[in-house]
Amino acid sequence: MELKIENTKAQMRKGVLELCVLSIISEKEVYPSDIIKKLKEAKLIVVEGTLYPLLNRLKNADLLDYSWKESLSGPPRKYYHITPHGQGFLSELMTTWEELNTAVYRSTSKNQ
Amino acid sequence: MKKVININLGGLPYIIDEDAYVHLNDYLDAIRSHFSYSEGCEEIMYDIELRMSELFQEQMKAKQIISMVDLEAAIEILGTPEEFGAESTNSMYEDPETKNQNHTKGGYKYIKTGKKMFRNPDEKVVSGVCSGLAAYLGIDDPLWVRILFVVGTFLGGFAVIAYILLSIIVPKAKTAADKLAMKGEPINIENIAKTVENEINDISQTIASLGSKKKV
């Protein structure tokens, strides 16, 4: 099978995306639009549709949970918050990210 | 003048132009089929509908009716299933499991896309065995298969018996899904729509040619 750069990029982004979503939710209770706004600013996602399946998966893995809240302007909204299990997951991911960061830096910088 | 349709999207009522309604329906169907293997399909669908509803709320303000332009703007923001990217059902660690689960569910939700042999009623001389066989074997022109059968008939007549047997055993491709399976094309909404469209074109052509014959 041909190796496509887009696939590799998407794979890389995916792991990082989980980390970022968990991190955003761990700060305070948020609803998807808040998350989307942050991720779009960071250029991590292009379309919003990417987020919903991810949230669903994290929720099913018991890393997140949500509660319904009435909204003034539209339909009721799902507000997401992190679970204790998710908190542990996040800190582990954070460590891995830092390790990877160092590892990538060390193995790709030429002046070692 | 346009016809409008009343819809309920994420629990809120909307009035939508008919053409935009059809487009919205197709869009949501495409997403649904994209996530049909995920366990949270219904919930994801609901979340997306809810968000769509919210986007309409923001866009509409004083306007009353959702038009194609409004819908396209919302789809632009949400993205098409292709743009959802890697974050679909084929995530790294779920992939092998979910696939197996779908198999063990005894074909539930799982659409077989393998080739099957059918008699082709659209391109038949006698009963469509040759053109069906040609499609099954991936031969572009059924003429070659027909020639083979005719030549076989003169070489001892076995081909006649084979033909009769095949026309009894092999089922006729009746539905659009049958016709896709006959050609080995994957059975999905787009392909079925294409097949149906082709059939409608064929019928209208037949009618047109009948009409012109009468005039002569």
Side-chain angles (χ1 to χ4, degrees), chain A residues 33 48-49 57 59 73 78, chain B residues 43 47 51 78 93-94:
Chain A
S33 290
E48 293 189 0
R57 201 152 49 76
K59 190 214 74 183
S73 59
K78 273 182 182 175
Chain B
E43 202 171 359
D47 286 348
R51 176 62 181 154
L78 275 165
Y93 40 82
E94 277 180 3

Side-chain angles (χ1 to χ4, degrees), chain B residues 59-71:
Chain B
Q59 283 174 6
M60 302 310 287
K61 299 205 169 91
K63 257 172 57 176
Q64 302 244 320
I65 295 162
I66 301 170
S67 69
M68 203 66 166
V69 181
D70 304 319
L71 176 63

Side-chain angles (χ1 to χ4, degrees), chain B residues 65-106:
Chain B
I65 295 162
I66 301 170
S67 69
M68 203 66 166
V69 181
D70 304 319
L71 176 63
E72 268 165 8
I75 290 178
E76 178 105 349
I77 296 171
L78 275 165
T80 58
E82 293 81 46
E83 291 170 315
F84 292 178
E87 192 48 60
S88 70
T89 51
N90 321 319
S91 61
M92 287 176 275
Y93 40 82
E94 277 180 3
D95 201 13
E97 275 172 52
T98 41
K99 267 197 180 157
N100 286 339
Q101 273 172 12
N102 278 317
H103 278 293
T104 50
K105 271 178 198 163

